[in-house]
Amino acid sequence: MTRISMKTIKQLNEKDLKSKIQESRGELAKLRVDASKGTLRKESGKLRPLRRDIARMLTRVNEMKKEK
């Protein structure tokens, strides 16, 4: 999964954001398992950006809730 810009996140609706969050969390879980096994070599730089993307999406979901 590639990095998601804030501009793209703002264009998505709440349902799409929640599905992307679930997808990203699944990928993050897989990467964490690989990291704990010690088999994570090339993807070791993906953990931090993925966590930050999830945080951006959650922030946008919370902003949308406050707007309602």
Side-chain angles (χ1 to χ4, degrees), residues 9-65:
I9 290 172
K10 286 186 177 188
Q11 293 173 350
L12 297 173
N13 61 16
E14 191 171 352
K15 185 178 178 182
D16 292 337
L17 275 175
K18 287 184 179 183
S19 67
K20 284 227 184 253
I21 290 169
Q22 291 295 35
E23 180 183 324
S24 297
R25 282 183 172 164
E27 186 176 343
L28 182 61
K30 289 178 191 173
L31 289 173
R32 283 184 174 160
V33 168
D34 288 344
S36 67
K37 285 191 227 174
T39 59
L40 186 70
R41 296 252 181 212
K42 294 180 183 174
E43 293 96 14
S44 63
K46 292 184 180 178
L47 288 169
R48 187 174 180 181
L50 192 57
R51 284 196 338 254
R52 290 183 178 198
D53 286 343
I54 292 170
R56 277 191 203 98
M57 289 186 274
L58 288 171
T59 299
R60 181 61 185 152
V61 169
N62 287 331
E63 285 175 355
M64 292 169 88
K65 285 181 182 177

